[in-house]
């Protein structure tokens, strides 16, 4: 039904009407997709011989409206490119860029411009002319096989909690592929077990059903009260630089009252070299299996038509396909675990040092050429998008803002003077490659650490230019660099300064004066004893005396040992249960700077 709605209105005129936001009666279109389509008269119609309710039509119209509204944004970008198409689209001049920027919608990034330019150039190579509009440039979008129950009301779906860990969903679903009457629609109930990270007071929303491989997967969203973090007014931030082996390198920076940026000298690193090596081996194994599958498939398809089927060849193809699927699933799970582990580490560090904002370089326009293509592939395989999404999700829970800044010049510029740096080998030669940055101003620093300081300074100095895009993400599109200054270290005690007090013990501790007749113990403090009741109530334990309890080194009775299971892990660290169940070998291959809570515990910034 949704495909039919899209096919009937896949034209430039209909997309222009939907993008205008005004109906045929002159009223503004509603924000709900299915209501907007009904206002325009684009309602969904059930196939012949199939009986569906009005709520089912809502679901189909909502899916079609989402696809058409996304196409409206692509239509505006393509129309701007076609209206300002230069002679050489891959070498635009300053005037060409100015004319293009004036026509593009707000928030269009360079990656979208580059991809759409290649799409139009490919169309010209085939047809020899420019396309008329988006509908001629590309075909209609395909609707995913999913059922968004959020578009329906309680007459179609009911969601309720059974207890703190289980949710019961009631939904009216058909019992056959083509229901001929309303008798073929029956209420079904299925229980969903919530993970440990979902709090008991969270609001559970209507799910989305995704049938696939004979099973139905359920996407169950849940909501918590949330106030968006402020985008400006920050005095302490965390700058993060992406890497290949060292996935994340962060630096803490402060903005003083004079507008200067002060940086800490301690780098924060999340080194995932071991996991990256494992991913490289898995990808090579996947490519090897894919090559063997292609070879065996060509052998099977190249056999004569009258030749009998080879059972050994068929069984080998089945085994290789199963192994290939298992390796792909392993890569996906490892990437996800790495992304969320690094995001948790980053947010914990920001909370510990008291940073209210995390600045990340925007690598959406990353495109390397020549010898750097292998580096570009390795960076693309570092799941940057998942790391950014997980960081924004976890930071929103603690009220920390996540802002992207321009990435151009972060690694090639000096954070002290702004000049060009020279990349050399490390002084000790411990790391391969040119991992060290030097400058004529005296800078000698790890290149990722220098880039993190430059990113933090670029974000703090230009935080008034922070804007939110149409997806709700905060970004700084144009920024000016500000030199950073290293925070002054504590002065070394000299003859003129006050000497540091000697902490070494030089005399015995004076004895305490005890009252006469008081019985003391080495393990109990000098305070009033509260005796336990002679007969405690049944089912309760008596009160122990105040003070420390004497501890036995060798208890006489049996010791009850509690096994370490996933349930106990969930009670202590709910966000680490999935990582613990993935296997013990994951965290042994990750080396990260430990998180300290000195700033959070004392209310002051930790003295780096």
């Amino acid at each position: 039904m949704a495909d039919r709605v899209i096919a009937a209105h896949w034209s430039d005129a209909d997309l222009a009407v939907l993008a205008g936001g005004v109906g045929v009666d002159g009223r503004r279109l509603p924000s709900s997709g299915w209501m907007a389509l009904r206002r325009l008269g684009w309602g969904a119609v059930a196939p012949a011989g199939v009986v569906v309710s009005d709520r089912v039509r809502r679901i189909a119209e909502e899916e079609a409206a989402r696809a058409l509204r996304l196409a409206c944004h692509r239509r505006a970008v393509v129309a701007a490119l076609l209206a300002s198409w230069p002679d050489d689209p891959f070498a635009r001049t300053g005037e060409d860029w100015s004319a293009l920027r004036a026509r593009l919608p707000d928030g269009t990034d360079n990656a979208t411009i580059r991809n759409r330019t290649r799409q139009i150039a490919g169309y010209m190579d085939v047809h020899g002319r420019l396309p008329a509009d988006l509908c001629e440039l590309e075909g209609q979008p395909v609707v995913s096989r999913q059922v968004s129950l959020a578009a329906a009301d309680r007459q179609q779906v009911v969601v309720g909690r059974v207890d703190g860990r289980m949710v019961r969903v009631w939904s009216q679903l058909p019992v056959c592929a083509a229901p001929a009457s309303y008798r073929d629609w029956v209420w079904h109930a299925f229980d969903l077990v919530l993970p440990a990270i979902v709090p008991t007071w969270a609001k559970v929303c209507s799910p989305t059903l995704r049938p696939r491989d004979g099973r139905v997967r359920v996407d169950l969203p849940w909501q918590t009260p949330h106030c968006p973090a402020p985008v400006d007014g920050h005095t302490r931030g965390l700058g993060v630089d992406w890497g290949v082996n060292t996935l994340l390198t962060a630096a803490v920076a402060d903005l003083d009252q004079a507008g200067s940026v002060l940086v800490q000298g301690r780098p924060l690193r999340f080194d995932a070299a071991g996991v990256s090596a494992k991913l490289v081996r898995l990808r090579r194994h996947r490519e090897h299996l894919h090559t063997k599958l292609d070879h065996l498939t060509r052998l099977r398809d190249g056999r004569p038509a009258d030749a009998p089927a080879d059972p050994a060849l068929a069984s080998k193809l089945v085994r290789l396909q199963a192994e290939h699927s298992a390796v792909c699933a392993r890569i996906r799970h490892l990437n996800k675990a790495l992304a969320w582990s690094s995001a948790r580490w980053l947010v914990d560090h920001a909370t510990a040092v008291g940073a209210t904002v995390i600045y990340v370089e925007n690598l959406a326009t990353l495109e390397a050429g020549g010898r750097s293509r292998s580096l570009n592939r390795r960076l693309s395989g570092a799941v940057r998008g998942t790391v950014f999404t997980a960081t924004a999700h976890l930071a929103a829970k603690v009220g920390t803002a996540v802002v992207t800044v321009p990435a151009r010049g972060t690694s090639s510029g000096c954070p002290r003077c702004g000049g060009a740096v020279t990349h050399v080998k490390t002084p000790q030669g411990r790391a391969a490659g040119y991992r060290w940055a030097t400058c004529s101003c005296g800078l000698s620093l790890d290149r990722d650490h220098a880039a993190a300081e430059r990113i933090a300074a670029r974000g703090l100095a230009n935080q008034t230019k922070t804007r939110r895009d149409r997806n709700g993400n905060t970004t700084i599109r144009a920024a000016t660099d500000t030199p950073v200054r290293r925070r002054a270290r504590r002065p070394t005690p000299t003859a003129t300064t006050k000497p540091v007090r000697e902490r070494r013990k030089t005399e015995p501790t004076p004895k305490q004066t005890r009252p006469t007749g008081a019985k003391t113990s080495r393990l109990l403090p000098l305070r009033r004893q509260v005796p336990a009741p002679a007969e405690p109530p049944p089912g309760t334990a008596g009160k122990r005396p105040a003070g420390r309890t004497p501890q036995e080194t060798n208890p006489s009775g049996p010791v009850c040992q509690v096994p370490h299971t996933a349930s106990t892990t969930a009670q202590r660290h709910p966000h680490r249960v999935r990582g613990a169940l993935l296997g013990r070998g994951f965290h042994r291959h990750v080396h990260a700077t430990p998180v300290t809570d000195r700033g959070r515990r004392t209310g002051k910034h930790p003295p780096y």
Side-chain angles (χ1 to χ4, degrees), residues 270-279 281-282 330 333-334 337-338 341 576-591:
F270 188 88
D271 189 357
V275 181
S276 300
K278 178 65 175 179
L279 287 171
R281 292 193 297 269
L282 288 175
R330 174 60 178 163
H333 295 166
L334 195 58
L338 176 62
S341 177
R576 298 182 183 176
V577 176
R578 185 171 181 82
L581 296 180
L582 286 176
R584 298 181 179 180
F586 173 77
H587 293 90
R588 289 187 298 178
H589 296 285
V590 176
H591 305 281

Side-chain angles (χ1 to χ4, degrees), residues 288-478:
H288 178 65
L289 293 175
H290 191 271
T291 304
K292 294 179 66 176
L293 278 172
D294 290 344
H295 177 66
L296 294 180
T297 303
R298 288 194 300 268
L299 289 178
R300 182 193 60 184
D301 298 341
R303 294 171 62 87
D306 56 348
D310 188 358
L313 182 60
S315 61
K316 185 178 294 186
L317 277 172
V318 172
R319 290 196 305 270
L320 286 177
Q321 290 175 355
E323 187 176 357
H324 184 270
S325 300
V327 173
C328 292
R330 174 60 178 163
I331 292 175
R332 290 195 302 268
H333 295 166
L334 195 58
N335 281 334
K336 186 176 181 180
L338 176 62
W340 283 90
S341 177
S342 60
R344 168 59 62 184
W345 170 86
L346 183 60
V347 174
D348 287 348
H349 262 295
T351 306
V353 301
T356 57
V357 61
I358 300 175
Y359 291 108
V360 184
E361 56 181 346
N362 186 11
L363 296 182
T365 59
L366 176 66
E367 183 180 10
R371 298 181 178 178
S372 300
R373 291 188 181 274
S374 60
L375 174 63
N376 187 20
R377 289 195 297 268
R378 294 179 66 188
L379 286 175
S380 300
V383 293
R384 298 188 309 268
T386 310
V387 173
F388 179 79
T389 303
T391 303
H393 176 75
L394 297 176
K397 293 184 177 182
V398 296
T400 303
V402 179
V403 183
T404 59
V405 300
R408 182 175 296 275
T410 53
S411 298
S412 60
C414 176
R416 305 290 190 271
C417 65
V421 298
T422 303
H423 295 156
V424 298
K425 294 185 178 181
T426 55
Q428 294 82 9
R430 298 177 180 177
Y434 298 90
R435 298 285 302 275
W436 206 258
T438 59
C439 182
S440 58
C441 66
L443 174 74
S444 180
L445 198 63
D446 181 84
R447 57 177 298 180
D448 293 339
H449 187 200
E453 292 182 354
R454 194 173 176 86
I455 292 170
R458 184 175 291 183
L460 289 176
N462 300 272
Q463 54 183 305
T464 56
K465 303 178 182 178
T466 308
R467 298 293 183 269
R468 293 186 183 273
D469 57 8
R470 63 190 188 96
N471 297 325
N473 300 324
T474 53
T475 181
I476 299 176
R477 302 195 179 277

Side-chain angles (χ1 to χ4, degrees), residues 418-575:
V421 298
T422 303
H423 295 156
V424 298
K425 294 185 178 181
T426 55
Q428 294 82 9
R430 298 177 180 177
Y434 298 90
R435 298 285 302 275
W436 206 258
T438 59
C439 182
S440 58
C441 66
L443 174 74
S444 180
L445 198 63
D446 181 84
R447 57 177 298 180
D448 293 339
H449 187 200
E453 292 182 354
R454 194 173 176 86
I455 292 170
R458 184 175 291 183
L460 289 176
N462 300 272
Q463 54 183 305
T464 56
K465 303 178 182 178
T466 308
R467 298 293 183 269
R468 293 186 183 273
D469 57 8
R470 63 190 188 96
N471 297 325
N473 300 324
T474 53
T475 181
I476 299 176
R477 302 195 179 277
T480 57
D481 292 319
T482 301
V484 301
R485 294 188 296 107
R486 181 66 62 89
R487 184 180 295 276
R489 298 182 179 180
R490 295 181 180 180
T492 305
T494 59
T496 57
T497 60
K498 184 178 180 180
V500 181
R501 183 174 63 88
E502 180 67 32
R503 296 181 179 273
R504 188 175 55 185
K505 187 174 181 181
T506 57
E507 57 184 8
T509 304
K511 296 183 179 180
Q512 300 179 0
T513 57
R514 303 182 177 87
T516 306
K519 184 179 180 181
T520 61
S521 173
R522 182 174 59 87
L523 297 176
L524 296 179
L526 293 175
R527 57 182 69 180
R528 184 173 57 88
Q529 303 288 334
V530 181
E535 295 181 359
T540 60
K543 298 181 179 179
R544 67 173 181 85
R548 290 190 301 174
T549 304
Q551 302 180 3
E552 298 179 356
T553 56
N554 296 319
S556 56
V559 180
C560 180
Q561 297 182 356
V562 181
H564 181 74
T565 60
S567 58
T568 58
T569 306
Q571 297 175 1
R572 292 181 294 177
H573 305 288
H575 62 277

